Amino acid sequence: MILFASETYAATAAALRSAIAQLRLGRFHVARFENGELHLAVETPSTNEHCVILGSIGPPDQQLLSTLLLAHTLKKEGASKVTAVLPYLGYARHDKDKPGESLTTAWVGSLVKASGCDQVITVDVHSEKTKRLFPVPVVSLSSAGVFAEAIAQYGLARATVVAPDEGAIGRCEAVKTAAGMAPGKVPYFEKHRTEAGIIHAGPIGEVGGQAVIVDDILDTGGTLVSACEKLSTAGVDEINVMVTHGLFTGTRWKDLYRFGVKRIFCTDSVPLPVGMDGDGIVRLSILPLLAKKLFAIDKK
Ligand code: R5P
């Protein structure tokens, strides 16, 4: 098995290489012509090899295109199989079929297949619908165990785990189970996106003085800021945020600290934006998750 990692994932690739004896690291080069068009060259022979591409789809367009071009080139060169390991699967949120609007998740899925990827491995995929819209198998690894370790390490086992919307309830239940927390219904919010922004109703269910709010993505932070404001009004005085994919777009998310957020835990599925110092942010590694999965694939 040969692993081809984008530059951002060079350190992760090296760590995976140390963890999995049979894994070799492949080399490739991506460049742009002066007019911006992409050019890619694979330097490691891939004929009859199972090739694994590692790199999240963020920033979206640049990473998506280079991932697709790499898959296409590897297959053209005779790779027997291409597995795309995309810890953050960009465009997965665009999974709702609304008249006249693009169903972008399905479009990305078609491109992934057409480019030669045989399967996708991601972490905490946005929804089951996302998986169904992809014409190749999508395996979603759960970060619940990673968050459970942080809950134990930071003494949060007695906090109430809260879902910022109904879609996050399942993730919260998985984290509670992995952390061995007391059973019971997960308090949640009803979320509506309006032209004026996000409107949250709730919390629906009991919240105590300390909460852990769990979501898959922190993009602008709008969802979590609105939910944390409500939690703060409901009397929660310490909130910890746990998100799988910390995109930290813009500055809105900084308002979280105004509403009692003590720490933001996020995995290293995507790099922090350039220039961000990471204050108040606890990064959790998904390396063990990826290593375990790749080790199992390699053994097959
Ligand atoms: C939405 O359904 C997702 O699970 C996240 O809650 C959302 O994408 C986060 O985006 P933002 O941080 O911009 O509110």
Side-chain angles (χ1 to χ4, degrees):
M1 205 158 75
I2 310 179
L3 180 69
F4 292 84
S6 61
E7 236 169 73
T8 326
Y9 287 86
T12 309
L16 288 168
R17 162 74 193 85
S18 313
I20 305 167
Q22 306 303 321
L23 193 69
R24 286 175 290 140
L25 295 185
R27 288 175 60 85
F28 69 102
H29 240 80
V30 199
R32 283 190 189 269
F33 290 105
E34 284 183 25
N35 69 349
E37 289 172 12
L38 275 178
H39 173 261
L40 186 144
V42 171
E43 291 160 19
T44 310
S46 60
T47 313
N48 296 326
E49 299 281 357
H50 180 177
C51 296
V52 177
I53 299 174
L54 173 64
S56 280
I57 302 300
D61 298 347
Q62 179 190 327
Q63 276 305 119
L64 178 62
L65 283 188
S66 53
T67 300
L68 298 176
L69 191 54
L70 177 56
H72 182 264
T73 312
L74 291 170
K75 270 289 171 74
K76 177 179 79 68
E77 292 302 301
S80 55
K81 188 170 182 182
V82 173
T83 296
V85 180
L86 314 172
Y88 170 61
L89 186 58
Y91 290 111
R93 280 180 286 175
H94 308 268
D95 60 353
K96 285 162 206 73
D97 195 355
K98 297 180 188 162
E101 293 184 22
S102 61
L103 185 54
T104 319
T105 309
W107 170 70
V108 169
S110 311
L111 290 175
V112 163
K113 183 178 166 75
S115 302
C117 293
D118 297 288
Q119 60 175 339
V120 171
I121 295 171
T122 187
V123 179
D124 289 340
V125 71
H126 178 63
S127 66
E128 284 304 309
K129 178 106 183 282
T130 303
K131 284 185 176 176
R132 290 198 296 274
L133 289 173
F134 265 61
V136 295
V138 175
V139 175
S140 176
L141 308 176
S142 168
S143 64
V146 174
F147 290 138
E149 278 176 28
I151 284 174
Q153 192 184 339
Y154 285 82
L156 301 172
R158 297 169 76 90
T160 309
V161 177
V162 180
D165 55 35
E166 288 168 82
I169 294 175
R171 297 179 207 293
C172 292
E173 287 169 345
V175 169
K176 281 181 65 171
T177 305
M181 295 166 96
K185 283 201 167 170
V186 170
Y188 68 98
F189 290 90
E190 280 175 356
K191 179 172 102 175
H192 305 282
R193 282 189 190 269
T194 66
E195 297 222 330
I198 290 162
I199 298 179
H200 268 123
I204 298 161
E206 289 233 347
V207 290
Q210 188 188 41
V212 172
I213 188 160
V214 178
D215 206 358
D216 59 339
I217 302 167
L218 186 162
D219 186 355
T220 63
T223 299
L224 290 169
V225 167
S226 160
C228 290
E229 184 176 4
K230 291 265 179 192
L231 284 179
S232 158
T233 308
V236 179
D237 51 33
E238 183 193 311
I239 307 170
N240 284 273
V241 164
M242 290 192 169
V243 288
T244 311
H245 311 292
L247 306 185
F248 298 102
T249 306
T251 55
R252 176 95 203 277
W253 60 271
K254 291 187 180 171
D255 286 346
L256 288 169
Y257 298 121
R258 285 179 36 220
F259 298 117
V261 169
K262 190 166 180 187
R263 304 177 197 91
I264 301 173
F265 295 87
C266 72
T267 79
D268 54 1
S269 67
V270 275
L272 289 179
V274 177
M276 199 171 131
D277 56 17
D279 269 0
I281 294 169
V282 183
R283 301 273 278 164
L284 306 172
S285 175
I286 53 163
L287 182 71
L289 280 184
L290 300 181
K292 190 172 168 204
K293 185 66 190 172
L294 290 181
F295 186 75
I297 290 178
D298 190 47
K299 282 276 153 278
K300 272 191 188 167

